[in-house]
Structures are given as C-alpha cells and as structure tokens.
C-alpha cells in the first residue's frame, strides 16, 4: 500500500502532525519504535505535563527561543497557544494555569494527555505501528521513496520526520533522526544537552533527594561574583539539583564551568532579610526553649532538610535551645540564607530536558515545515534547531510545528505534484 503520509516518531510533534493530516482525509501511517506512543510526554512536568505557556504576546513567546525563535512565527500564527488549549478542551481535557503561567491539565496527569492523543489518532483513523524502528530512509534524487524497518519497507507520497532530539534517550529520543537527515543532505547544527540538572561535589546531597523547594532564590557565583540569580522552584536529586530554576540556569552554568569553579547558593528564606530571619529564629527558639536543637526547626524548615542543616551548622543536635549562643544562631541564619553547593558539572544528554541544536532552520520553509532539500520531506518538533526554557514552551513548539507540517502535507494539490 502507498500511504499519503508516513510520520516517523510518535511524540507530541508526530502525533499532532499525523492527526492533523488525517483529519483532511489522508491515509497516514505513524511509525514508533517504542511499544507505546508518547513515552517522553509521560515524564513531562514531573508526570503532570506542562502542555503550554500562557502568553498573550506572541513576540514575548518567540523571544524565549533566542535568535532562532522567529522561525516559529508562522507555526504559532497557524496554531496558537489558544488553539492548543481549544484542541485539548475538545479532547475532553480541561486545563489550569499555575504559577509562572504554566498550563497543566486539571487531571494533573501526563497519562491523561497521552490517552487523549491516542483517542485523537483512533478517531482520525491514523494507522499506528509501534515496536517498529525506522532503520533507513531511501531517497531517489530529491525525493524519499521508502523507509526501511526490520518488519519491512513502507512507502508514502510524503514523510514527516518527528524523531525528537537526543536528550533523555531512555524515552526513545536517541537522535537517529539527525543521522537520517544528514544522509538526506541536511545540515545538523551542533547538538548539545540543554535544560540539564547539575551535579554537585557534596556527597551528602543524596540525603535530600526528592525534596522540592518552592519560593527559593538561587544564585550562581564564580570568583565570588554573582553571575545569575533566579527565584522559584528547585529540586534536590541524588547527585545534585534540578527543577525549573536550575534547568533554566544550566546553559549559563555550562559556560561558566569552562572557566573554572562555580558555586550555587540557595536562599531558603528570600522573603526575610538577615535581620528578619534572625528575629524569626529567635521567636522559634523562644517557643522551643526547653527542647533540643534538633526538635526546634520543624516550623522553619522541611523535615528532610533539618538533619543536613544541623550537621552543617556544627551545633550539637542535643543542645538545649536556650543554651544556643548568638554566634551559633548567626551560623544557622547564614546557612539558611547562603546555603552553598559546589557544582561539579552538568548531567549531559542522559537527563537533559531538551536538545539544543538540530536540523538547520535555513533548510526548512517556516511557512510549511517542508525541507528545501528533499521535496516530500517535512520536519516538526524537537528535531529542529530550536529550544526554549522550561514552562511549556517546548511542547507548544511541538504542537504548533506538528500542526503546521500536518496541515501543509494535507494540501491535496501539492500531493498530486509529488
Ligand atoms: C523529563 C522531561 C520533562 C519535560 N517536561 C516538559 C514540560 O513539562 N513541558 C514542555 O513544554 N516540555 C517538556 N519537556 C520537553 C518535551 O518533552 C520535548 O521537547 C518533546 O517531547 C519533544 O517532542 P517531539 O515529538 O519532537 O519528540 P519526542 O517526544 O522525543 O518523540 C520522538 C519519538 O520518536 C521516536 N523515534 C525516534 N527514532 C525513531 C526511529 N528510528 N523509528 C521510529 N521511532 C523513532 C521516539 O521513540 C520518540 O517516541 C520535558 C522533557 C523531559 C525529558
């Protein structure tokens, strides 16, 4: 059988483009090497899927992607943030806007998103082939003629490549798409892990694993000079730190590490200055004056952090609170305002949220997502040389470019010319 369209890779970009194309009556085959569609989507937003970013100003949105952002202009005009919300509402998914304009499904479940997308594919009669890895793409002149898999060859009039980036390879995004694109004559811009957790030298960090911090301020220092600073949410991992503000600073951290040591400094109580925090500690100490130090911090700190802070303060945990000296109290206060960790490095592709670099945008028509090199090839999603910060930007880029590619291939007149 000759399909109208073959889409390679069933992540958000592939699902959207396959569904959109089949809405126009095209016969569509979606090929995915994993046993199920949307493996990476299931992990997004810590399992809650931050589907998009609420932003009324298109320019602002685009600027978050740096100099390449303008490539997205047409795609976002054709399929906007509001269109994404409407799309999911029509699939029965209600949404809510959280802090930092992050949009989540009210189900708080990435699985509900994947299931809704699965139903969307069924409704539009997309043929989905899972457990099927594309191993080779065969071209003749400037056209793809078939794709090869271990199960056999598949033929279509047009092809969309949505194999994602190279980050978080355990989800299937291992970067084969870049190899295919190179073989087809495309240039691939320097691939680098982006939005990566950091590794720290302090081995006791593992005791804090899983502790999520909200409303903290984190600064990065090099040579005692503050290089960047963010307020928001962060997370301790077994070997370092992750979470939105760390991920968004990771690019800068990577650059600084090339020049030498980088220190991360957490202010656990940014709403209180040194003096106010001292007064707050004094209040707690008064309330718990007859208790041991180790039993006096639960109002001030999350439980998991208490043993670590006690150890670093060098104050005897069994010391009665009313015997704690002013100097010791000051040490405690400084620890809470200037909690230092030495950065050892970044985690690399293994745990990166996105891939920076990708198919050279100069070789793709931003109005259609069509390759300027291969007539019947289109691209969408993270395979493109585009990466945004955390907050729903990257998925929105997938929905919009996926939709645009799906719409462009649906142009019947264009189909007949291939
Ligand atoms: C832990 C984590 C959390 C994230 N959270 C968010 C978030 O909350 N919000 C947000 O906006 N972004 C988030 N992202 C980023 C977002 O998930 C990605 O940008 C997005 O999934 C990219 O979509 P894609 O369709 O381009 O590629 P992918 O989702 O990577 O899908 C590509 C698919 O292609 C398949 N494939 C690859 N090669 C082949 C082949 N040879 N044959 C067949 N199939 C193949 C893969 O198996 C994969 O299923 C997160 C990323 C990670 C890792």
């Amino acid at each position: 059988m000759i399909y109208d369209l073959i889409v390679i890779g069933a992540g958000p970009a592939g699902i959207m483009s396959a569904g959109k194309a089949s809405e126009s009556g095209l016969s569509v085959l979606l090929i995915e090497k994993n046993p199920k569609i949307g493996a990476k989507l299931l992990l997004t937003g810590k399992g809650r899927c931050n589907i998009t970013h609420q932003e009324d100003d298109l320019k602002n949105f685009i600027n978050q992607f740096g100099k390449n952002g303008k490539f997205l202009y047409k795609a976002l005009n054709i399929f906007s943030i509001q269109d994404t919300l409407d799309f999911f509402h029509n699939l029965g998914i209600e949404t809510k806007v959280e802090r930092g304009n992050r949009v989540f499904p009210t189900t708080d479940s990435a699985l509900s998103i994947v299931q809704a997308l699965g139903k969307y594919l069924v409704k539009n009669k997309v043929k989905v082939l899972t457990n099927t890895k594309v191993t080779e793409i065969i071209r003749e002149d400037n056209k793809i003629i078939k794709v090869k898999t271990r199960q056999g060859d598949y033929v279509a009039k047009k092809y969309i490549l949505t194999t994602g980036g190279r980050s978080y390879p355990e989800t299937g995004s291992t970067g084969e798409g870049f190899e295919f694109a190179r073989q087809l004559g495309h240039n691939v811009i320097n691939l680098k892990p982006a939005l990566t957790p950091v590794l720290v030298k302090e081995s006791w960090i593992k005791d804090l694993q899983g502790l999520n911090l909200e409303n903290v301020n984190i600064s990065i220092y090099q040579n005692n000079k503050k290089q960047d600073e963010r307020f928001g949410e962060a997370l301790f991992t077994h070997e370092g730190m992750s979470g939105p503000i760390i991920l968004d600073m990771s690019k800068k951290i990577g650059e600084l590490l090339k020049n030498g040591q980088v220190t991360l400094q957490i202010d656990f109580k940014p709403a209180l200055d040194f003096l106010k925090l001292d007064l707050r500690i004094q209040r707690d100490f008064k309330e718990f004056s007859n208790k041991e130090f180790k039993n006096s911090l639960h109002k001030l700190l999350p439980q998991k952090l208490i043993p670590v802070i006690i150890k670093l303060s060098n104050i005897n945990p069994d010391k009665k609170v009313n015997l704690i000296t002013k100097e010791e109290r000051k040490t405690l206060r400084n620890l809470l305002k200037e909690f230092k960790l030495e950065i050892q490095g970044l985690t690399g592709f293994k745990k990166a949220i996105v891939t920076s670099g990708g198919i050279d945008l100069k070789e793709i028509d931003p109005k259609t997502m069509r390759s300027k090199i291969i007539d019947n090839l289109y691209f969408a999603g993270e395979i493109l040389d585009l990466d945004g910060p955390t907050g729903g930007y990257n998925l929105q880029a997938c929905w919009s470019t996926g939709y645009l590619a799906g719409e462009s291939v649906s142009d019947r007149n264009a189909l007949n010319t291939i």
Side-chain angles (χ1 to χ4, degrees):
M1 157 163 192
I2 300 177
Y3 290 91
D4 288 326
L5 173 69
I6 287 178
V7 180
I8 307 167
I15 295 169
M16 179 58 93
S17 54
K20 175 60 195 160
S22 60
E23 268 181 27
S24 321
L26 265 58
S27 57
V28 181
L29 176 67
L30 175 58
I31 304 182
E32 167 58 52
K33 67 179 173 182
N34 284 330
K36 288 189 176 160
I37 63 165
K40 187 175 275 180
L41 258 181
L42 284 177
L43 302 181
T44 55
K46 291 200 207 122
R48 296 199 304 130
C49 189
N50 177 193
I51 53 172
T52 186
H53 191 89
Q54 188 69 60
E55 171 64 80
D56 298 331
D57 185 346
L58 181 60
K59 223 170 158 192
N60 249 349
F61 186 95
I62 279 171
N63 283 343
Q64 300 298 320
F65 287 81
K67 65 176 181 7
N68 283 354
K70 57 183 184 305
F71 180 87
L72 282 171
Y73 193 74
K74 175 75 178 177
L76 278 155
N77 257 309
I78 295 280
F79 196 75
S80 65
I81 293 161
Q82 188 55 48
D83 292 327
T84 301
L85 298 177
D86 293 344
F87 172 80
F88 282 106
H89 295 167
N90 287 334
L91 292 179
I93 298 281
E94 293 306 316
T95 52
K96 56 179 175 177
V97 183
E98 292 194 0
R99 195 174 3 170
N101 287 345
R102 290 158 198 257
V103 182
F104 290 89
T106 51
T107 53
D108 282 327
S109 154
L111 179 61
S112 69
I113 295 289
V114 175
Q115 285 171 339
L117 291 170
K119 283 189 193 144
Y120 173 63
L121 293 176
V122 171
K123 186 174 154 227
N124 288 300
K125 302 191 174 61
V126 174
K127 184 165 169 47
V128 183
L129 265 188
T130 50
N131 286 315
T132 307
K133 180 176 168 174
V134 170
T135 50
E136 209 181 338
I137 297 181
I138 310 293
R139 73 182 272 194
E140 228 174 63
D141 303 325
N142 56 349
K143 270 186 213 162
I144 294 174
I145 53 159
K146 62 180 171 186
V147 296
K148 282 183 171 283
T149 75
R150 280 191 203 104
Q151 287 88 327
D153 299 351
Y154 295 93
V155 179
K157 293 174 187 160
K158 294 189 180 185
Y159 299 81
I160 305 181
L161 197 52
T162 50
T163 43
R166 263 188 64 193
S167 44
Y168 238 89
E170 72 193 54
T171 62
S173 324
T174 43
E176 286 129 55
F178 298 119
E179 273 321 300
F180 298 145
R182 274 195 196 102
Q183 284 157 14
L184 292 167
H186 273 278
N187 181 33
V188 177
I189 305 285
N190 197 13
L191 301 173
K192 280 190 284 188
L195 302 182
T196 47
V198 299
L199 304 167
V200 301
K201 291 225 165 100
E202 292 76 3
S203 58
W204 46 257
I205 201 81
K206 62 182 181 307
D207 298 338
L208 296 176
Q209 178 179 2
L211 175 62
N212 198 46
L213 303 170
E214 285 181 2
N215 303 324
V216 290
N217 204 76
I218 301 189
S219 314
I220 45 175
Y221 283 84
Q222 187 159 59
N223 302 326
N224 293 323
K225 213 173 133 208
K226 194 188 279 184
Q227 306 286 340
D228 201 354
E229 180 180 16
R230 307 275 167 119
F231 173 80
E233 202 178 325
L235 171 77
F236 287 104
T237 68
H238 70 291
E239 51 190 0
M241 290 199 79
S242 184
I245 52 179
I246 294 291
L247 297 172
D248 285 334
M249 285 198 289
S250 62
K251 194 171 190 174
K252 178 90 183 225
I253 292 171
E255 284 160 12
L256 291 170
L257 280 169
K258 287 183 203 145
N259 309 326
Q261 193 178 319
V262 183
T263 309
L264 198 147
Q265 189 170 292
I266 308 173
D267 180 351
F268 290 110
K269 299 286 171 192
L272 305 174
D273 61 21
F274 280 76
L275 182 66
K276 283 194 184 127
L277 180 58
D278 193 36
L279 292 172
R280 166 71 208 273
I281 296 172
Q282 284 187 50
R283 248 197 352 257
D284 283 11
F285 278 7
K286 207 166 165 192
E287 189 178 342
F288 305 115
S289 61
N290 287 321
K291 298 226 159 141
E292 292 88 29
F293 177 49
K294 65 183 179 204
N295 295 322
S296 69
L297 296 172
H298 57 279
K299 274 191 157 179
L300 197 63
L301 295 173
Q303 200 54 44
K304 218 169 192 169
L305 195 57
I306 294 174
V308 173
I309 293 287
I310 290 180
K311 194 150 181 244
L312 295 174
S313 73
N314 283 325
I315 305 171
N316 180 351
D318 296 318
K319 191 169 185 174
K320 281 275 184 292
V321 168
N322 56 21
L323 296 177
I324 291 175
T325 65
K326 194 176 169 190
E327 226 17 68
E328 285 174 326
R329 205 180 67 225
K330 201 171 140 195
T331 305
L332 173 66
R333 181 201 64 184
N334 291 351
L335 259 178
L336 302 188
K337 293 292 287 176
E338 296 171 343
F339 187 89
K340 291 187 178 62
L341 293 166
E342 199 184 317
I343 296 177
Q344 194 165 40
L346 300 171
T347 55
F349 279 117
K350 201 169 161 228
K351 294 286 172 197
I353 301 297
V354 286
T355 301
S356 114
I359 309 293
D360 193 340
L361 300 180
K362 288 201 287 293
E363 300 168 350
I364 303 168
D365 177 1
K367 294 194 189 81
T368 56
M369 296 292 137
R370 183 173 170 174
S371 160
K372 292 179 183 170
I373 295 173
I374 304 288
D375 284 350
N376 58 348
L377 174 64
Y378 297 72
F379 295 97
E382 205 180 307
I383 193 169
L384 300 166
D385 179 17
L386 278 168
D387 61 288
T390 64
Y393 292 96
N394 291 296
L395 279 179
Q396 181 60 51
C398 292
W399 310 129
S400 294
T401 56
Y403 184 95
L404 179 55
E407 186 182 76
S408 307
V409 292
S410 313
D411 181 348
R412 284 241 157 230
N413 294 332
L415 256 185
N416 293 335
T417 62
I418 298 281

